[in-house]
Amino acid sequence: MIRRIVTSAQEMEALGEALAPVLPGGSVLLLHGDLGAGKTTFVRGLGRGFGITSPVRSPTFAFIHHHDVPEGPVTELLHLDLYRVDDPREVDALCVGELMGDEVVAVVEWGELAGGRLDGVIGSLTIAAGDDTERTLTLDGPLAALVHDAGVWR
Ligand SMILES: Nc1ncnc2c1ncn2[C@@H]1O[C@H](COP(=O)(O)OP(=O)(O)OP(=O)(O)O)[C@@H](O)[C@H]1O
Ligand SMILES: [Mg+2]
């Protein structure tokens, strides 16, 4: 488990950006946190780390956005937002398993609403809002060890 405190949206984006090279192809990262916690802000940074050029916006109505990654072992970033999922069985209908592959990374806002139905989950990032622009990030799962060993969040 890794815990980090950030005090600005810029710092949040920077942590997302630094995470990109550590996320292996085929992995799924779940994001937890209330409305406005900063999940999409984090994904925007992650997208920058992957060098994607398409704008990262909340896919709340589309459920899922595809972003091409221009170079590297990962070729596609899937950005999901499950906020509108009422029943975890709706997640099955998204067929995320068929969209995944060794060269695809998925990041999932409101990941807890998947009810454990997604394969390849490498970690969970929980964002808790504090006063003003302060946020506490808690990273759990195997990804925490990768981040620690790579030293990217130091
Ligand atoms: N430390 C911070 N980290 C992230 N965002 C911050 C921070 N401080 C302020 N903000 C602001 O909080 C807002 C976070 O919005 P964002 O869309 O990223 O949240 P979200 O968790 O994706 O919400 P939703 O559940 O509605 O999708 C942005 O306006 C951002 O600028
Ligand atoms: Mg969002």
Side-chain angles (χ1 to χ4, degrees), residues 35-36 38-41 57-60 79 81 109-110:
L35 286 168
K39 301 180 293 297
T40 302
T41 302
R57 295 192 215 92
S58 202
T60 299
H79 180 192
D81 189 322
E109 298 193 38
W110 297 96

Side-chain angles (χ1 to χ4, degrees), residues 119-151:
D119 292 327
V121 173
I122 194 169
S124 299
L125 179 69
T126 302
I127 305 173
D131 289 344
D132 202 10
T133 61
E134 187 181 286
R135 305 284 191 271
T136 301
L137 283 69
T138 307
L139 181 62
D140 290 298
L143 184 61
L146 296 181
V147 167
H148 182 267
D149 292 349

